[in-house]
Amino acid sequence: MSRYTFGGDEHVFVEVDEEMSLEAFFTSLAMTNAVREANIDGVTEICPANASFQIKFDPDKIHPQKMMDMLKEMEKTAEKQEAKLNTRIVEVPVYYQDPWTHETLMRFRERHQDPNGTDLDYAARINGFDSVEAFIKAHHSAPWFVSMVGFVSGLPFLYQMVDRSRQIQVPKYLRPRTDTPKQTVGYGGSFSCIYSVRGAGGYQMFGITPMTIFDPRQETPYLRDFMVFFKPGDIVKWRPIDREEYDAITADVQAGRFEPRTKDVVFSLDDFNADMDGTNAKLMEALYAD
Amino acid sequence: MPINVISSGIMTTIQDLGRPGYYHLGIPMGGAMDRLAMRAANLLVGNPEDAAGLESVFVGPELEFTEDATVAVCGAELPPRIDGEEQPTWTALSVKRGQVLSFDFLKAGARAYIAVSGGIDTPPHLGSRATYAIGALGGVDGRAVQPGDSLPLGKASGTARPGTSVPMECRRLPGATAKLRVLPGLYWHRLTEDAQRRFFEDTWKVANEADRMGYRFQGGRPLDFVPREQPFSAGSDPSNITDACYPYGSVQVPSGQEPIVLHRDAVSGGGYFMLGTVISADMDLIGQLQPNTPTQFVKVDMETALAARQERNTLITAIRKAIG
């Protein structure tokens, strides 16, 4: 049973688990989907997170205790549901060790655990990799789940789809930076992220993607329907690219010619837990078919 | 016919009552920090309560009117002047074409709400004109107001009655020592009993880092945590949690040092524990706190929180009645 608590008189906060796991994430996603479908009068925000979620409501319309009781009832139903998701897999090009995040990380060296190396040097070393190249390969070899969207404008948090013993873990900066380039691919705890806008940040910086993921003007063709690209439950495959391809994709994005490679897939948590590498291989087949 | 911005003070933004519904994507509801003041200003000039106006922090703008209008300034005691002549706050004021609205020095509070008959008619984003600069939404092309801007106005309802005031007893500003009521919860259990008591005993002070995203407080004793092995993915600091959603008004205390209360432009989530949440009835007051204001957090239960919300709703009803 999850832990239920009030966030003032306008929020119910539900911690499914203290630890991150795909099981906790699936419960959070299933329950927030159930709340959305229930269409409860007075509910104004439905926010899934990694291993928890939050509902905002108008207490003039629904009493906080009643709101909490309804959620507890829904958990009973959600528990019985099969952890299966109709979702999509997206390929995101990443230029690792790019000059822009490098320039930024050098500017904030005194806020970092390892002032003499780069963020990637540090992450590779503390995770037991022989080289930065081997670490980068581990970062993009298996796919990732978007387990939360938030912090600021459409920023995805991603959780790697590998056994816990293979999870990369890297602490955040000792003190947050005041600057991070837009579309930086970052890392903190056991989560990757893509900074959707330029600004403050505490995650380690590994590279940058040329792909726009937040466009308030909605001029990007694949963001015409909505300004935010990612939603919880999306699966992401990082694809390493070099400077030449980064420049080419950037030009395509600016000209409105870029379309991210995307395929619809069905994901079953049971199948994944039974055979992680096999499930991931099938996802890759689906992504690169045709 | 627009308003011409001659100067914009320290920070003047277009705000309304915000854009709820996108917090799950990291887009906060935004809108006026002091919603009661924004509603009152709109009511005085005959606008719908959710029309867009200006929110000015500490220093007022200078605005030239190119048509006759009714204006009202509510919230902070930032006395308006029309062509240099001092005018009352919380009152519907007539401004003639060609006249300039400017402001005297701040007397009390932090944010003044300036409503103009017809409302500011910049293009809405996701259903609101509220400025959210981080996401480049609302406002003037996604940013704060700048000198040289022309702010378009909507059509006035014509129902404003210049001279009408909001009754004194309906005006709300924090006291010399601000009292913010907090419902403990969320990750409250992470604190030791001693720290739980200390948080409410100590008098805190508003820090300089106090803006639309959140207000930081200093000066209380540091808080300590119940020892535990940190859960997988939570991070090594005892104040870290597996990244989760942040309620509006939630009080996070990174490393147990300085509490931060998240406000209308909150970041929607992150990896710091929260000890509880400022109740909805007191959120407006935070927007009126100046740096260095002594602040006492007051522990309340849900019943008190809901009663306080009712009281605030009654206040809004009283304002509607007094003006209507």
Side-chain angles (χ1 to χ4, degrees):
Chain A
M1 178 80 174
S2 304
R3 186 173 69 83
Y4 287 76
T5 175
F6 292 111
D9 48 324
E10 294 186 324
H11 309 82
V12 174
F13 180 101
V14 183
E15 185 186 55
V16 178
D17 199 335
E18 286 190 327
E19 297 190 336
M20 178 58 192
S21 67
L22 284 180
E23 283 72 16
F25 164 66
F26 263 78
T27 305
S28 143
L29 196 61
M31 287 197 60
T32 48
N33 284 339
V35 177
R36 195 171 298 110
E37 279 157 26
N39 207 8
I40 303 159
D41 189 35
V43 168
T44 56
E45 306 272 5
I46 301 166
C47 306
N50 297 305
S52 56
F53 67 93
Q54 168 181 306
I55 306 296
K56 184 169 191 276
F57 56 92
D58 178 353
D60 300 337
K61 291 193 174 153
I62 182 164
H63 192 282
Q65 191 58 53
K66 190 177 173 208
M67 185 75 241
M68 188 184 275
D69 292 344
M70 284 174 85
L71 293 174
K72 285 180 179 171
E73 273 306 308
M74 285 180 175
E75 182 169 7
K76 290 180 195 157
T77 321
E79 271 174 349
K80 287 180 211 134
Q81 272 176 10
E82 195 188 353
K84 209 168 201 177
L85 193 63
N86 291 311
T87 182
R88 60 178 180 169
I89 181 164
V90 186
E91 182 194 77
V92 176
V94 186
Y95 179 17
Y96 290 96
Q97 296 185 286
D98 65 287
W100 304 283
T101 59
H102 187 265
E103 185 276 328
T104 310
L105 67 90
M106 292 314 284
R107 259 194 290 144
F108 292 99
R109 224 60 215 134
E110 84 288 355
R111 302 185 185 208
H112 194 273
Q113 291 85 348
D114 181 7
N116 299 315
T118 65
D119 293 9
L120 273 165
D121 291 339
Y122 171 70
R125 194 179 69 241
I126 65 165
N127 281 282
F129 287 88
D130 295 338
S131 65
V132 165
E133 286 66 32
F135 177 81
I136 289 173
K137 188 158 186 293
H139 186 256
H140 66 68
S141 57
W144 297 70
F145 244 110
V146 175
S147 53
M148 179 170 173
V149 177
F151 181 59
V152 294
S153 321
L155 179 152
F157 290 81
L158 305 103
Y159 185 70
Q160 195 168 21
M161 294 164 65
V162 293
D163 192 66
R164 186 177 285 187
S165 62
R166 284 166 62 198
Q167 293 279 345
I168 297 165
Q169 289 211 70
V170 196
K172 298 170 192 170
Y173 269 49
L174 296 175
R175 284 185 297 130
R177 297 175 304 273
T178 52
D179 193 17
T180 310
K182 183 177 159 183
Q183 287 158 216
T184 289
V185 175
Y187 212 96
S190 55
F191 298 104
S192 238
C193 81
I194 307 173
Y195 283 89
S196 52
V197 293
R198 186 178 175 179
Y203 276 31
Q204 308 280 339
M205 296 184 289
F206 291 173
I208 198 160
T209 177
M211 178 179 154
T212 303
I213 62 162
F214 174 70
D215 178 7
R217 301 285 159 271
Q218 292 180 263
E219 285 155 2
T220 308
Y222 56 89
L223 296 174
R224 288 233 166 95
D225 288 343
F226 197 66
M227 60 182 71
V228 169
F229 183 74
F230 287 107
K231 56 183 179 300
D234 282 343
I235 297 171
V236 166
K237 169 68 171 70
W238 308 117
R239 184 170 66 85
I241 56 170
D242 59 13
R243 175 66 188 258
E244 200 180 330
E245 194 172 2
Y246 176 87
D247 290 342
I249 296 176
T250 301
D252 282 350
V253 169
Q254 278 163 2
R257 286 190 303 256
F258 179 77
E259 275 292 333
R261 175 179 278 271
T262 303
K263 289 286 161 58
D264 290 334
V265 289
V266 179
F267 179 87
S268 152
L269 187 56
D270 290 341
D271 292 354
F272 175 76
N273 283 332
D275 179 9
M276 292 188 188
D277 291 338
T279 307
N280 288 345
K282 276 188 202 149
L283 287 169
M284 290 308 106
E285 272 169 39
L287 179 61
Y288 294 113
D290 78 58
Chain B
M1 295 287 273
I3 301 172
N4 295 324
V5 179
I6 301 165
S7 69
S8 55
I10 294 172
M11 172 68 89
T12 294
T13 53
I14 296 171
Q15 298 296 343
D16 52 22
L17 294 182
R19 52 175 72 77
Y22 304 97
Y23 203 39
H24 64 294
L25 299 172
I27 299 171
M29 68 177 205
M33 284 185 76
D34 184 347
R35 290 162 71 90
L36 183 128
M38 179 95 250
R39 285 176 191 273
N42 272 323
L43 284 165
L44 282 167
V45 302
N47 287 348
E49 289 171 39
D50 62 353
L54 298 174
E55 177 184 271
S56 287
V57 191
F58 307 141
V59 176
E62 240 181 300
L63 306 170
E64 184 198 8
F65 283 75
T66 63
E67 63 181 299
D68 295 356
T70 309
V71 300
V73 179
C74 296
E77 270 309 301
L78 190 70
R81 291 172 177 274
I82 294 173
D83 277 355
E85 200 170 310
E86 190 158 330
Q87 307 288 333
T89 54
W90 298 91
T91 302
L93 309 169
S94 230
V95 184
K96 297 279 170 236
R97 176 183 170 180
Q99 285 190 313
V100 171
L101 175 70
S102 64
F103 291 85
D104 207 339
F105 293 114
L106 181 70
K107 304 280 194 294
R111 285 176 177 79
Y113 292 85
I114 307 160
V116 184
S117 49
I120 292 173
D121 194 21
T122 42
H125 280 128
L126 302 177
S128 165
R129 297 180 172 86
T131 312
Y132 175 55
I134 292 171
L137 295 174
V140 183
D141 298 327
R143 58 161 171 83
V145 170
Q146 287 174 2
D149 283 345
S150 277
L151 307 177
L153 292 178
K155 198 172 159 18
S157 67
T159 58
R161 286 178 290 120
T164 310
S165 289
V166 171
M168 278 313 246
E169 64 274 16
C170 296
R171 306 177 188 183
R172 211 168 161 234
L173 278 180
T177 296
K179 290 202 188 310
L180 298 177
R181 288 168 287 186
V182 171
L183 184 73
L186 303 168
Y187 293 83
W188 175 242
H189 59 279
R190 288 292 301 121
L191 293 176
T192 62
E193 277 181 33
D194 214 35
Q196 290 179 343
R197 207 186 51 247
R198 243 179 278 163
F199 174 72
F200 289 111
E201 272 175 10
D202 288 357
T203 300
W204 301 82
K205 262 185 179 172
V206 177
N208 287 326
E209 291 157 70
D211 57 24
R212 295 187 43 82
M213 188 185 283
Y215 261 59
R216 185 185 283 263
F217 296 84
Q218 294 171 327
R221 287 167 287 174
L223 306 177
D224 37 32
F225 296 87
V226 176
R228 68 166 176 182
E229 192 185 320
Q230 283 292 95
F232 172 72
S233 85
S236 52
D237 192 277
S239 68
N240 285 151
I241 56 167
T242 296
D243 290 53
C245 300
Y246 288 156
Y248 293 105
S250 61
V251 187
Q252 56 179 269
V253 195
S255 301
Q257 298 293 315
E258 295 176 348
I260 300 166
V261 181
L262 291 179
H263 218 270
R264 312 284 184 212
D265 283 359
V267 291
S268 69
Y272 288 113
F273 98 108
M274 301 152 274
L275 58 77
T277 310
V278 173
I279 66 172
S280 63
D282 287 354
M283 287 292 282
D284 286 348
L285 290 179
I286 297 175
Q288 297 298 354
L289 293 177
Q290 295 178 5
N292 290 316
T293 306
T295 304
Q296 190 87 49
F297 294 103
V298 180
K299 186 178 178 179
V300 295
D301 58 13
M302 181 63 86
E303 208 181 325
T304 312
L306 292 175
R309 187 182 171 91
Q310 272 317 312
E311 229 172 86
R312 189 177 163 279
N313 288 349
T314 311
L315 207 57
I316 294 168
T317 312
I319 294 172
R320 285 182 194 132
K321 231 167 139 185
I323 295 169

